[in-house]
Structures are given as structure tokens and as C-alpha cells.
Amino acid sequence: MKILAIDTTSGACSVALYDDGQVAEQFFRAERDHTRRLLPMVEAVLAEGQNSLGQVDALAVSQGPGSFTGLRIAISCVQGLAFSADKPVVPVSSLAALALGARRSHPEWGEAPVLAALDARMQEVYWGLYSPGDITNALLADAVSAPEQVVSALRAAGYLQADSVSSDCAFYGAGPGWEYPELAALNPLEVSRESAIHAQDIAVLAAQLWPQGIQVSPEDLEPAYLRNEVTWKKRERIRQR
């Protein structure tokens, strides 16, 4: 199984090739340089393993949530490559990839869930809670919420004591969304705020999803913004003032 994965969800740009369990990746933090870097990175990753685009079984991409611009860049690139090579696409949650990457970076973490959180701006976070056993399935589905709403959702689902916000939590934290004080006050087992979304983790997750038949044709690939278009346009107008 060979899967080519691409990500530009946040402040980084990465491409990876999963080849029967082995993963090669190029990763750069380049907030404004994604478009220029992507195709050369794809060529380099394929060439490293002496592969061509036609030899991969599928492409994979972060479906979101994340930066509106970043999601569109990666999805458009993957759609173009998939069309040209007549390959299907495996869409992967960016939060699942963030949770898997945090576990990869912290092999000492035990068998507890990971709450992945990205800063969604406008005083909100993109977040999801992931099992250590199967990160392809979220314990609490990806959502965009104010930090205090995240706390309420965790309490309602039984992951927090009903009478306390600051008690120790039986889960880990990953991602820059944990900078919000409402989340930091939860006192998780450990927090990895520096964790980033990597194409190699998207590729590994796609390799698990592919046998389950989770794939779409390039024309059916859609981003999972979680916020609607009206909210996005309002935010763009605010930035332009």
C-alpha cells in the first residue's frame, strides 16, 4: 500500500509517502509559502523512494478543521494530483492527525485519551477527544467551541467531575489551542502545546482508513470547516479593517 499525503492546515507545509509501513516526510514551517513549496516537496518525497505518482494507491489530505486558506491550498493540490493520476482520496481529520502526532512525539504517554485543540480565533478552538486505541474514531466528535463550552462538553460526557473544573483529568492535551486559560485550568496528565499537524500522521491514519473503504473521488472531496461560510466572510471583513 502506498499513500501520498499532503497538509497545509496550519502554520506548516508537509508531504509524506506511506509505503507498506515505512513513511518518508518533508516538513517545513512556512506560513505564507505553501503554494510554491508543495509540488517540489511532492516530487522530492516520491523521488526519495524511486516512486512515481502513478504508483501510489491513493492520496490523503487533512480535511479539516483548520485555517480556511490552508485547507483550500492542500485540498486543491490533492484534487489536481488525484485527477491527473486517476486516484482516489482519503480525507483525514486534522485533529486526529494532531493527536497521533502528539503520541508519536511522546512515546511515554500512557493509555489515556488525547484532547487535540487548535486555535480557531474569535475566542474559539477546534477540538476533538481521541482514544489511544483507535485514533481514527473520535470519542467526542470534532467541533468548534468557546473554551468554556469545551469544558462543559467534557463534563457532560463524564470526562470531568461534575463539581470541579480544575481537578486532574485522565487525558492528555495536544496543540496550540491549549493556550486558552480555561483549558489550561483542566490540569491534564500532560500537555504538548508545540505539537503540529504532520503529513506523515495523515498518511498513517489514511492507511488505516483505506481498508475500511473510506475514500472519495477528487471531485467529491470537501473541506470540514466546522464554521459556515458566513462566519468566515465576517472574519475576513474584520481582518481587512
Side-chain angles (χ1 to χ4, degrees), residues 80-166:
L81 292 171
F83 271 124
S84 68
D86 192 23
K87 302 293 181 180
V89 180
V90 181
V92 174
S93 163
S94 58
L95 293 171
L98 180 61
L100 181 60
R103 283 203 164 276
R104 175 174 50 79
S105 300
H106 295 276
E108 75 280 4
W109 282 7
E111 293 299 307
V114 176
L115 195 155
L118 293 169
D119 189 355
R121 310 299 181 187
M122 299 173 67
Q123 297 300 305
E124 291 182 327
V125 293
Y126 299 120
W127 68 285
L129 188 68
Y130 288 88
S131 164
D134 183 8
I135 292 183
T136 62
N137 289 314
L139 297 173
L140 293 178
D142 294 357
V144 57
S145 310
E148 59 271 19
Q149 292 174 326
V150 178
V151 175
S152 297
L154 290 168
R155 183 178 292 114
Y159 291 100
L160 291 179
Q161 295 181 10
D163 58 350
S164 176
V165 170
S166 60

Side-chain angles (χ1 to χ4, degrees), residues 1 3 100 133-136 203-214:
M1 183 192 303
I3 297 178
L100 181 60
D134 183 8
I135 292 183
T136 62
V204 169
L205 290 169
Q208 298 173 34
L209 294 168
W210 169 263
Q212 302 174 33
I214 299 176

